[in-house]
Amino acid sequence: MSQEEKDVYVSFACQSCMQPIVLDESLDNIDVHSMAELSLPIYSGSSKTLDTEDVSAFDHFVPPYPLSDSINGTDFMLVSDGRDKKLSNTFKLKAELFDCLSSNSEIDHPLCGECADSILESMDQELKVAEQEWRDYKNYLERLEQQQDRPNIPALERELIELQENEKRMLSELEKLKKEEKSLNEEIKREEEEKVKLQKQEAIYWREYTKHRRELMLTEDDKKSLECQISYAEQQLEKLKDANIFNITFHIWHAGHFGTINNFRLGRLPSAAVDWSEINAAWGQTVLLLSSLARKIGLTFERYRIVPFGNHSYVEVIGENRELPLYGTGGFKFFWDTKFDAAMVAFLDCLTQFREEVEKRDTEFLLPYKMEKGKIIDPSTGNSYSIKIQFNSEEQWTKALKFMLTNLKWGLAWVSSQFAND
């Protein structure tokens, strides 16, 4: 086979899968009658023939592929698209044949073997379905022809009229239902909008609820804390009710030969040289105690006014504008300075006035040591001890101060007993 013949065979593509196909050689031997039929116009009234050089006249013509390829192992060369030169008569006849076939059926030609087989199978199925429908219609027609009673046309017409009226009524009802549906849809839309609003309000409510719930929990915690504090305060109050402020504030005791107040020693011994700062502090506590006791029972001292001023407390002589210091700054004996001695005598006088005031209120009250004119007398021995430093020994002076603190402790106990509920 020549190269030109190969070109003719492969100048068409399958109209289904668009793959190039090789035409059968029998298409080359078309008889004269067939060629005369093919020379007739494909469409009535059409003046175009294949003699024209307009390639667009082939309605279903697919240009050949300008490619080199191999199909089923057979080598061939695809020709060019052929638009720039005249086609051969044989190629035109084949193209018109395929165009005629395509025009007279719903299938475009040419087809390859596989696509043709697939279309034949599909058409076989359609044929079977058509044959089954034909048999069904034929059977139905035979049954109708065998029926002796003819259909009651008037009854059927009346039934048709009724059905038409029912149809009108149903359509009218359908219109009403559509209107109701539209109304319901609008109502649903409003309800949906209301639902969205309620959901937003619900979210706001839950936020507020959570906020207030948290505040409530914090308030309850604060309440419990306050209740615990109140309970503790009440317990402390009960303890304080049983306690006496004087006994707590002023603790009078002794340390060997020394009398002490709040652990400050009052006095000096050759064997125990107490620092004057400690003695002054002890005197300051003593003055504060007597001043507090006198204020508690409403006593105003005559001739003197004791002034608590820490370790620099003093006694003021009323009417003389003179201060007597109840603190020392140097050695034991100061023969040239008698103010300290005068201050201690004045303090003992004030303590005596306190005793006299208490005895007026309580005839059974009695101090363990007598006091008179700057001296303290021990009833058990009858010995008297001067509270002055001049012309006195450290032992005597220290003992007098110890007895004075003892009397002051008794006065403190009496005031505490009288004013226990205050």
Side-chain angles (χ1 to χ4, degrees):
M1 183 181 296
S2 64
Q3 181 65 37
E4 182 180 358
E5 291 175 344
K6 291 183 178 179
D7 293 342
V8 173
Y9 292 153
V10 297
S11 295
F12 296 91
C14 177
Q15 299 300 293
S16 178
C17 64
M18 302 305 295
Q19 295 296 323
I21 58 177
V22 179
L23 300 178
D24 191 84
E25 296 179 359
S26 61
L27 293 177
D28 295 333
N29 300 321
I30 302 177
D31 55 14
V32 177
H33 180 71
S34 297
M35 292 179 65
E37 289 181 353
L38 290 175
S39 63
L40 296 175
I42 297 176
Y43 302 103
S44 60
S46 177
S47 60
K48 291 185 180 182
T49 64
L50 291 177
D51 295 335
T52 64
E53 297 180 0
D54 188 3
V55 182
S56 61
F58 303 115
D59 295 340
H60 299 275
F61 170 68
V62 177
Y65 290 88
L67 301 172
S68 295
D69 204 343
S70 172
I71 299 179
N72 298 325
T74 302
D75 296 331
F76 59 89
M77 177 65 69
L78 296 179
V79 298
S80 61
D81 55 11
R83 295 182 184 273
D84 56 349
K85 59 185 178 178
K86 295 182 179 180
L87 300 176
S88 65
N89 291 330
T90 304
F91 179 78
K92 289 182 180 180
L93 290 174
K94 292 178 182 179
E96 190 170 0
L97 174 62
F98 294 142
D99 194 8
C100 181
L101 292 174
S102 300
S103 301
N104 294 328
S105 68
E106 296 179 354
I107 302 172
D108 293 336
H109 293 275
L111 295 173
C112 64
E114 293 181 357
C115 294
D117 293 339
S118 177
I119 292 176
L120 288 175
E121 290 179 1
S122 176
M123 294 179 69
D124 288 339
Q125 294 294 331
E126 293 179 1
L127 180 60
K128 291 179 181 179
V129 173
E131 290 177 349
Q132 182 64 37
E133 291 179 354
W134 177 80
R135 286 192 293 270
D136 293 339
Y137 285 124
K138 183 179 180 182
N139 294 332
Y140 182 72
L141 179 61
E142 290 176 354
R143 286 197 301 270
L144 289 177
E145 291 176 350
Q146 293 176 359
Q147 289 181 358
Q148 296 180 357
D149 298 334
R150 295 296 179 179
N152 190 349
I153 301 301
L156 293 176
E157 289 178 350
R158 287 193 299 272
E159 184 179 358
L160 177 61
I161 294 172
E162 292 178 357
L163 291 174
Q164 289 176 347
E165 292 178 353
N166 289 335
E167 181 184 9
K168 292 181 181 179
R169 186 170 59 256
M170 297 296 289
L171 290 174
S172 176
E173 187 176 353
L174 178 61
E175 291 296 327
K176 293 181 181 179
L177 292 176
K178 286 182 178 180
K179 292 180 181 179
E180 291 180 2
E181 180 185 12
K182 183 178 179 181
S183 176
L184 289 175
N185 289 333
E186 293 176 354
E187 183 68 22
I188 290 173
K189 183 178 179 180
R190 289 194 297 270
E191 294 295 333
E192 289 291 338
E193 293 176 353
E194 185 67 21
K195 175 184 176 182
V196 173
K197 292 181 181 179
L198 291 176
Q199 287 177 345
K200 292 180 179 179
Q201 293 178 0
E202 182 183 11
I204 295 173
Y205 165 78
W206 281 113
R207 285 197 297 270
E208 292 294 329
Y209 171 80
T210 304
K211 176 183 176 182
H212 292 308
R213 180 63 180 174
R214 179 177 176 273
E215 292 177 353
L216 176 62
M217 294 174 65
L218 293 176
T219 304
E220 289 177 349
D221 291 341
D222 293 340
K223 178 184 176 183
K224 292 179 181 179
S225 177
L226 291 174
E227 289 176 350
C228 293
Q229 294 179 18
I230 291 173
S231 177
Y232 176 77
E234 289 176 348
Q235 294 176 3
Q236 295 299 317
L237 179 61
E238 292 299 326
K239 292 180 180 179
L240 292 175
K241 286 181 179 179
D242 298 334
N244 187 275
I245 187 62
F246 289 106
N247 292 331
I248 296 174
T249 307
F250 302 101
H251 177 64
I252 298 176
W253 199 240
H254 59 83
H257 296 286
F258 294 98
T260 61
I261 179 170
N262 292 341
N263 296 325
F264 294 118
R265 291 173 293 179
L266 191 59
R268 286 173 66 94
L269 293 175
S271 59
V274 180
D275 191 77
W276 277 102
S277 61
E278 183 177 350
I279 297 173
N280 295 338
W283 267 116
Q285 294 293 313
T286 304
V287 172
L288 179 61
L289 173 58
L290 182 58
S291 175
S292 300
L293 293 176
R295 186 167 56 253
K296 188 66 177 177
I297 65 175
L299 172 63
T300 301
F301 297 114
E302 298 177 358
R303 299 180 296 278
Y304 303 105
R305 186 172 71 88
I306 57 177
V307 181
F309 200 66
N311 56 357
H312 285 77
S313 300
Y314 59 92
V315 177
E316 182 181 344
V317 181
I318 298 175
E320 297 182 7
N321 196 20
R322 185 161 58 96
E323 296 179 358
L324 303 175
L326 272 173
Y327 53 90
T329 58
F332 178 70
K333 294 185 178 181
F334 296 92
F335 299 102
W336 59 88
D337 188 0
T338 60
K339 288 185 178 181
F340 187 40
D341 285 345
M344 290 187 287
V345 172
F347 182 83
L348 195 62
D349 187 353
C350 291
L351 183 56
T352 302
Q353 293 181 43
F354 173 77
R355 182 204 67 191
E356 292 173 353
E357 180 65 24
V358 173
E359 288 177 350
K360 290 178 183 179
R361 302 184 184 189
D362 186 0
T363 56
E364 295 182 358
F365 178 75
L366 181 64
L367 292 178
Y369 301 100
K370 296 180 181 181
M371 299 175 293
E372 58 181 20
K373 297 180 181 181
K375 293 182 179 181
I376 297 179
I377 303 171
D378 185 2
S380 61
T381 60
N383 296 329
S384 62
Y385 301 93
S386 176
I387 202 171
K388 296 180 180 180
I389 294 178
Q390 286 184 337
F391 311 109
N392 199 1
S393 65
E394 292 180 343
E395 293 83 356
Q396 297 291 323
W397 181 63
T398 299
K399 185 171 288 188
L401 294 175
K402 184 179 180 181
F403 292 163
M404 180 194 68
L405 287 176
T406 303
N407 283 348
L408 198 57
K409 182 176 182 179
W410 280 58
L412 172 62
W414 183 86
V415 172
S416 298
S417 63
Q418 297 298 315
F419 300 94
N421 297 325
D422 292 352

